[in-house]
Amino acid sequence: KQEVTQIPAALSVPEGENLVLNCSFTDSAIYNLQWFRQDPGKGLTSLLLIQSSQREQTSGRLNASLDKSSGRSTLYIAASQPGDSATYLCAVRSNQFYFGTGTSLTVIP
Amino acid sequence: EADIYQTPRYLVIGTGKKITLECSQTMGHDKMYWYQQDPGMELHLIHYSYGVNSTEKGDLSSESTVSRIRTEHFPLTLESARPSHTSQYLCASSEWEGPLTDTQYFGPGTRLTVL
């Protein structure tokens, strides 16, 4: 069964810093990997989707990379802002979606 | 913009009551899902549907049941609620265009507390 792990579980940074969130998965037979954002008490919003044949995707200040062979992905957030404070979840699509437990990010003004 | 709705948003109910959590989407998506999420834990798939009259159980054993009579509607029912059912329930849908681009649109969730 696919297992998805996210490190760190929580992260607190001052505003303006660049940061990296990590995701690892045990089975490299995936179709895609996605990063979601979840605000407290809310559902998930898709941020970036990387297909299995792709290496990275970018959207604004966000850049996600995928190394399928090693089972790793990173989400890079540039010039962090207080509005980036949320939980970020990584999910892989194999026979179904498997989610990590998330990284809770706090950006301090 | 994804349009997927869940009601109620919050529910506090006593043990033994029957409850139905509603989920509706206006995007015409064939695939719909129910996840259970406890604080600090990953989402666990409890039910999914590939279309009308199609329902399957997910990986996480659940005492709930679902139905899919209409494309846009995917309600989840607990016949007799127990404190162990206390959790957040998230509904999602996806438009099937192949697994490479398969993504999910989530509703805001229902926070259920069973006393």
Side-chain angles (χ1 to χ4, degrees):
Chain A
K1 181 192 170 197
Q2 181 75 264
E3 292 185 7
V4 182
T5 303
Q6 291 187 245
I7 297 172
L11 182 63
S12 185
V13 300
E15 181 177 2
E17 248 190 40
N18 303 324
L19 58 102
V20 175
L21 308 182
N22 297 289
C23 172
S24 61
F25 48 96
T26 54
D27 185 350
S28 62
I30 65 169
Y31 291 107
N32 69 47
L33 181 143
Q34 297 176 64
W35 285 92
F36 289 87
R37 169 181 173 143
Q38 186 176 29
D39 292 288
K42 303 279 183 68
L44 281 66
T45 302
S46 180
L47 298 172
L48 290 165
L49 182 153
I50 310 175
Q51 298 180 26
S52 60
S53 60
Q54 298 173 332
R55 299 284 294 183
E56 66 177 343
Q57 284 288 334
T58 298
S59 176
R61 294 182 293 108
L62 306 180
N63 177 276
S65 68
L66 173 64
D67 184 343
K68 197 174 76 160
S69 60
S70 67
R72 297 179 187 274
S73 175
T74 61
L75 178 66
Y76 174 84
I77 303 177
S80 58
Q81 303 171 356
D84 295 332
S85 299
T87 297
Y88 291 81
L89 289 96
C90 166
V92 297
R93 173 67 162 90
S94 44
N95 62 317
Q96 65 179 58
F97 288 96
Y98 293 92
F99 290 82
T101 54
T103 293
S104 177
L105 173 65
T106 302
V107 180
I108 304 165
Chain B
E1 182 76 18
D3 293 309
I4 181 163
Y5 309 98
Q6 291 186 243
T7 57
R9 293 292 314 280
Y10 304 92
L11 181 61
V12 180
I13 201 163
T15 296
K17 299 291 186 183
K18 177 180 179 179
I19 59 170
T20 296
L21 307 185
E22 302 288 348
C23 176
S24 295
Q25 49 96 5
T26 59
M27 298 167 284
H29 289 170
D30 286 325
K31 298 174 76 174
M32 296 189 74
Y33 311 81
W34 276 104
Y35 291 92
Q36 188 172 338
Q37 184 185 31
D38 293 315
M41 303 295 288
E42 65 263 44
L43 278 71
H44 289 288
L45 181 66
I46 50 175
H47 296 284
Y48 61 98
S49 167
Y50 287 157
V52 171
N53 295 326
S54 153
T55 61
E56 301 287 345
K57 287 185 180 291
D59 286 347
L60 183 67
S61 175
S62 173
E63 294 164 343
S64 58
T65 59
V66 292
S67 63
R68 190 87 184 275
I69 299 172
R70 302 198 316 264
T71 298
E72 63 270 24
H73 197 211
F74 191 40
L76 181 145
T77 298
L78 279 166
E79 291 292 332
S80 179
R82 295 209 300 269
S84 60
H85 296 139
T86 295
S87 188
Q88 166 139 298
Y89 293 84
L90 292 168
C91 180
S93 71
S94 68
E95 180 181 31
W96 180 252
E97 294 181 341
L100 289 176
T101 57
D102 196 14
T103 187
Q104 295 192 323
Y105 299 91
F106 282 83
T110 294
R111 169 69 64 184
L112 173 65
T113 302
V114 184
L115 304 175

